[in-house]
Amino acid sequence: MTVELVRGQNHPLPDTRLEIRVSAGHPVVAGATLGDEGGTVPGVEWIAHPGSPSLPGVEVSQQAAADHRLAVDLEAVPAAVHRLSVLLALPVGVGGPTRFGAVAAPFVAVTGLDGTEIASYTITGLDRECAVVALELYRRQGAWKVRAMGQGYEGGLAAMLGDQGLERPADLAASILGAVARGLARSVSAPPPRVPETERVRHSAPTSAAEPMAGVDPAHTVPVTPPPPPLPSTPQPTPQPPHASTGGGPISYAHPGRRAAAPEPQQGPPVPVAGDAGGWSMDERLYNQVWGMFEDLARTTAAYRSACDFAESRLDKELDSVLSDPRSRIGGAGDAAREAARAKHDELTARAQEVLDRDLAQLAAESEVVEPALPAAYARWDNPVWHAYRVPMEAPMALRLGDLHLPERTDLRIPMLVRLPLERGLWVDSGRGHSEAAGLLDEAELRRLALDTAVAHATRLLAVYPPGEFTVHVIDPAGSGATALAPLVTAGVLAGPPAAGAAGVTAVLAQLTERVDLVQMALRAGAPDALPPGMDTAEQLLIVHDFPHGFDDRAVTQLRYLADEGPAVGVHLLLVADREDASAYGPVLDPLWRSLMRITPVPDDHLADPWVGHAWTYEPPLFPPGSRVLHQVLAQVAEARRQWGR
């Protein structure tokens, strides 16, 4: 499956023998540099370019061309090499374009030896730059990945080589470009491609500067004043292909195979696109897009509710005015005034509803596009992305805790994303509270759903962190959660068996409290590497079931300490409890409940947005009935840990 990268996004490489294909639509120079762990290129002998096309593990073209194929064998590169950068530059002194903004956006693809595309990247956003670092292949924890760079340089090849730490980059760039110029002088130009008759420029119907030619990207042409129409007796000139010069006409450097027809005027609202937001990576863009949808839904609903409130208040005021006038209390005048007031009210609410429906339809269309594109960390459990799940090598920037919706349209659900690492612990409320859904369930069923919800959150956290970078501990004093916790225990992804009884509670809390103390002392001393040998430096999650059963006063104090101080040093709390069960502690536990983010095992409208304060209904992320996703994901996590020795 091909991954289309955006600038800054990375992707693991399944093979070490690869081919990098470049399609630029115009002759470009392709090269590669081998860098150390810091990205520095030690010397000229670590550069593959047309004058010296071969290095251990990489081979590039010997002259400038519109299409390149670079051979890469990552197992053959020297052990000191941690980064392989693919460079593109425009040749100078050959009469061609001098900036990437005047040519089609270069396209780069990483493929296997069989031609299967692994990842691709279209380098957009270039203007005055005449050299660019297209891709970077880098080594991380023994595995290779590709990152889309798109780093352009107005100073050309010399500036790019200097940025990689090479001495005398101007001389080196001049020698490379000189070798390219000599190669171009010896080469024979390819004949122009055949262009269908329907795509040729007809000078009998000249094109104005304001109306670009059909089939030619206006960004790649220079507007000129059209010639005057020929006299009737003047013979018509022979049609020319769009890429050829006609003596004063525009020259297009667009690749003939990539020229698109002039866009049709857009009708209706814009078509939503996944990732249509700012950000360096696709994950960040999707995260920002989801938050933008969250804000848009909050604000459009606030506008609708405000308009309805205004219509109601205006109706009340007009009816009061009618009733306060004795002349209009009886007879036809009063009835007409009341009907007019109600008609105005209905008109205002209908207009508000029309605007709301339009905005909700647009958000629903955007949600239908965004939801399937979400990565595993942001996706629902029924998303097909989980069927192709693989343990990641980097932690994501955020995590999905559930869905949010408003009563105006309950089927329009916004993913509830929180940043990682978690800044607050989580509290899965197993009590009834004020939820109507909870009131329909008995106490035992509600407690079971609460622990199922905690297991779902723990599974997602384990799934989105790299192998060995997230550790889960469980406290189940009475052993009442054995059934719900069985998938975690069976898969072997816990730090140890669930702690039971008062002794088990004391041991786990003492271990994590000591860890928080040691990390805090190391950070305050400015020596984060001075931790005891063998200490687990992974993020820690403590699941506490059936609190406060099995907790004495000392254990309660330690739990409060972990909730307050733990998140800053990588120790997180996932508490499954009914606040009524701990009512005997009185206000002592109030700071604990306030420090945790409350979520529920059933739909409940207890969350508010930061913009207008709507009460949003929270939907927990439960697994689909009969689904094996939970066991499949945990099996993958356990296998990855065994392979990495974690």
Side-chain angles (χ1 to χ4, degrees), residues 331-351:
D335 293 340
R338 283 189 287 270
E339 288 299 326
R342 291 192 179 93
K344 187 63 176 177
H345 167 270
D346 294 344
E347 179 188 357
L348 291 174
T349 54
R351 285 163 52 188

Side-chain angles (χ1 to χ4, degrees), residues 29-290:
V29 181
T33 59
L34 303 180
D36 58 18
E37 197 165 2
T40 302
V41 180
V44 295
E45 67 277 5
W46 290 49
I47 306 175
H49 56 83
S52 177
S54 297
L55 288 178
V58 60
E59 184 171 354
V60 303
S61 306
Q62 298 188 37
Q63 65 180 25
D67 298 290
H68 293 269
R69 292 191 176 188
L70 285 65
V72 176
D73 186 355
L74 296 174
E75 291 184 352
V77 300
V81 173
H82 287 263
R83 298 174 187 269
L84 189 156
S85 301
V86 178
L87 319 178
L88 302 178
L90 292 172
V92 298
V94 295
T98 58
R99 60 187 183 91
F100 275 110
V103 300
F107 175 81
V108 189
V110 180
T111 71
L113 295 184
D114 59 354
T116 303
E117 212 170 89
I118 300 170
S120 63
Y121 174 42
T122 302
I123 311 173
T124 58
L126 299 178
D127 186 12
R128 298 181 179 275
E129 298 87 345
C130 55
V132 61
V133 179
L135 296 176
E136 180 182 75
L137 279 59
Y138 65 99
R139 196 198 314 252
R140 177 180 172 83
Q141 297 180 349
W144 285 90
K145 294 186 176 185
V146 59
R147 177 184 286 120
M149 298 294 290
Q151 177 63 56
Y153 293 85
E154 290 188 32
L157 191 59
M160 182 165 54
L161 296 175
D163 195 35
Q164 298 196 8
L166 287 159
E167 297 181 358
R168 304 177 64 183
D171 295 342
L172 179 57
S175 65
I176 294 174
L177 295 175
V180 172
R182 290 191 295 272
L184 288 175
R186 293 191 299 268
S187 64
V188 178
S189 300
R194 293 179 61 84
V195 181
E197 185 68 25
T198 55
E199 294 188 9
R200 299 188 179 183
V201 178
R202 299 190 181 278
H203 289 267
S204 58
T207 305
S208 69
E211 297 176 358
M213 294 180 292
V216 180
D217 187 351
H220 301 139
T221 60
V222 181
V224 296
T225 304
L231 297 176
S233 59
T234 305
Q236 298 298 314
T238 304
Q240 299 290 331
H243 71 277
S245 174
T246 57
I251 299 176
S252 172
Y253 297 103
H255 193 287
R258 292 200 223 157
R259 292 184 286 108
E264 297 273 339
Q266 184 169 311
Q267 302 292 334
V271 178
V273 178
D276 188 15
W280 284 101
S281 66
M282 179 57 78
D283 285 6
E284 184 178 0
R285 292 163 64 183
L286 287 168
Y287 172 84
N288 291 333
Q289 186 173 13
V290 167

Side-chain angles (χ1 to χ4, degrees), residues 621-639:
L622 299 179
F623 295 98
S627 172
R628 297 286 301 170
V629 171
L630 169 64
H631 302 280
Q632 293 169 0
V633 169
L634 290 177
Q636 292 256 15
V637 172
E639 179 62 25

Side-chain angles (χ1 to χ4, degrees), residues 366-451:
E366 187 173 9
S367 178
E368 291 176 358
V369 172
V370 170
E371 191 69 48
L374 294 177
Y378 304 171
R380 287 198 295 255
W381 287 115
D382 59 356
N383 192 309
V385 71
W386 288 106
H387 296 291
Y389 166 75
R390 294 293 181 270
V391 178
M393 300 307 296
E394 291 184 358
M397 66 179 297
L399 184 85
R400 186 173 192 155
L401 288 183
D403 293 337
L404 299 170
H405 66 80
L406 290 171
E408 279 73 11
R409 183 160 178 177
T410 57
D411 63 329
L412 178 54
R413 302 187 176 185
I414 305 298
M416 180 181 173
L417 303 181
V418 296
R419 294 296 294 265
L420 289 180
L422 296 173
E423 297 178 356
R424 300 172 62 189
L426 303 175
W427 165 31
V428 183
D429 190 355
S430 59
R432 294 188 183 279
H434 302 287
S435 170
E436 295 181 4
L440 300 176
L441 301 173
D442 59 38
E443 183 178 345
E445 179 67 9
L446 196 57
R447 291 180 182 273
R448 183 191 65 80
L449 287 175
L451 187 53

